[in-house]
């Protein structure tokens, strides 16, 4: 489990998620084989509801609310299909999210406002999404068929977002939003790379 080694707050979250999952299981609404997946999914949804307002607020201070929200939606919309790096704890996830948002707001989005840099980041990000299958996760292991289906949907989503980013980029009053969409794609692509590397390191350690 993601929260197998946790502090008090995370253990409370895990216990609550477990009770909710077993409630649906006892009602016959959840197969036994999906219990662990359900517990993990509930944890992630609760954390998202708790952390998202804080992340948006911090991003709004560093940039603007509209830019931060655009970046966040772009990133989450694609990441749902590509998977990627996951922190070991909920607080680690929170601080990593803040760090990514701050870095995107202060450095990467301003960089993506420049034409050459915009298209270099765009081509790099699209190449990663097209070339690499979604990064698997111990709590949400995908079958080969599920991975292939998610990869197909990820390609569609990245092309949709890429087109939106380009259109907005060429509208003078919306250029920063185009850059924000692009940076969301870029960090989702980077998350695939980081997730793959982390998985390979763990597999090597297990083989030793």
């Amino acid at each position: 489990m993601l929260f197998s080694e946790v502090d008090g707050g995370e253990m409370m979250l895990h216990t609550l998620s477990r009770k909710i999952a077993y409630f649906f299981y006892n009602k016959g609404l959840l197969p036994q084989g999906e219990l662990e997946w359900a517990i993990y999914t509930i944890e992630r949804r609760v954390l998202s509801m708790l952390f998202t307002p804080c992340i948006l607020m911090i991003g709004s201070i560093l940039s603007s609310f509209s830019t931060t929200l655009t970046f966040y939606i772009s990133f989450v919309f694609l990441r749902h299909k590509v998977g990627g790096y996951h922190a070991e704890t909920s607080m680690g996830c929170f601080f990593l999210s803040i760090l990514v948002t701050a870095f995107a707001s202060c450095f990467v989005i301003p960089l993506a406002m420049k034409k050459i840099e915009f298209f270099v980041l765009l081509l790099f990000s699209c190449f990663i999404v097209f070339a690499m299958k979604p990064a698997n996760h111990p709590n949400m292991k995908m079958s080969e068929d599920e991975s292939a289906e998610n990869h197909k949907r990820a390609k569609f989503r990245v092309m949709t977002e890429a087109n939106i980013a380009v259109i907005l980029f060429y509208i003078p009053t919306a250029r920063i939003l185009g850059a924000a969409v692009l940076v969301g794609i870029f960090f989702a692509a980077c998350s695939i790379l980081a997730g793959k590397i982390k998985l390979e390191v763990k597999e090597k350690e297990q083989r030793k």
Side-chain angles (χ1 to χ4, degrees):
M1 281 296 297
L2 182 63
F3 299 116
S4 57
E5 296 179 11
V6 295
D7 59 27
E10 289 172 335
M11 182 59 74
M12 288 176 62
L13 173 61
H14 179 70
T15 302
L16 174 63
S17 302
R18 193 174 183 83
K19 286 182 178 180
I20 294 172
Y22 270 95
F23 170 81
F24 287 103
Y25 170 70
N26 292 331
K27 294 290 184 181
L29 301 173
L30 187 67
Q32 186 174 6
E34 296 184 5
L35 269 174
E36 288 298 307
W37 171 83
I39 293 168
Y40 171 77
T41 301
I42 292 168
E43 286 177 349
R44 303 311 301 175
R45 294 294 181 268
V46 172
L47 287 173
S48 179
M49 287 188 292
L50 292 173
F51 291 165
T52 298
C54 297
I55 293 168
L56 292 177
M57 182 179 68
I58 292 169
S60 299
I61 293 170
L62 296 173
S63 180
S64 71
F65 179 77
S66 59
T67 303
T68 303
L69 182 62
T70 302
F71 159 73
Y72 185 79
I73 292 173
S74 172
F75 174 75
V76 171
F77 181 68
L78 184 55
R79 183 176 160 85
H80 277 170
K81 295 303 175 187
V82 300
Y85 180 86
H86 287 267
E88 295 296 334
T89 66
S90 60
M91 290 310 296
C93 176
F94 178 58
F95 286 117
L96 180 61
S97 298
I98 290 176
L99 181 63
V100 167
T101 303
F103 187 68
S105 300
C106 296
F107 300 103
V108 187
I109 291 178
L111 177 68
M113 292 283 286
K114 301 173 183 178
K115 188 173 182 179
I116 294 176
E117 286 82 349
F118 178 92
F119 283 101
V120 168
L121 290 176
L122 183 65
L123 290 172
F124 168 81
S125 303
C126 289
F127 172 77
I128 293 297
V129 175
F130 270 78
M132 303 184 74
K133 289 185 177 181
N136 221 328
H137 187 274
N139 294 92
M140 299 182 73
K141 289 184 178 179
M142 293 178 284
S143 66
E144 285 295 325
D145 289 342
E146 289 172 333
S147 179
E149 181 62 25
N150 277 342
H151 194 203
K152 183 170 73 173
R153 292 182 180 182
K155 291 176 184 177
F156 175 77
R157 291 191 177 194
V158 76
M159 290 308 299
T160 300
E161 289 194 1
N163 280 305
I164 291 172
V166 171
I167 291 170
L168 291 175
F169 185 80
Y170 281 101
I171 300 174
T173 56
R175 173 169 283 199
I176 192 169
L177 298 181
V181 173
L182 167 62
V183 174
I185 300 171
F186 172 72
F187 275 103
C190 290
S191 181
I192 301 174
L193 289 172
K196 296 278 189 181
I197 292 170
K198 182 180 179 181
L199 195 60
E200 286 184 9
V201 170
K202 281 194 172 184
E203 288 175 351
K204 286 181 180 178
E205 290 176 351
Q206 290 172 355
R207 287 196 293 266
K208 288 182 180 178

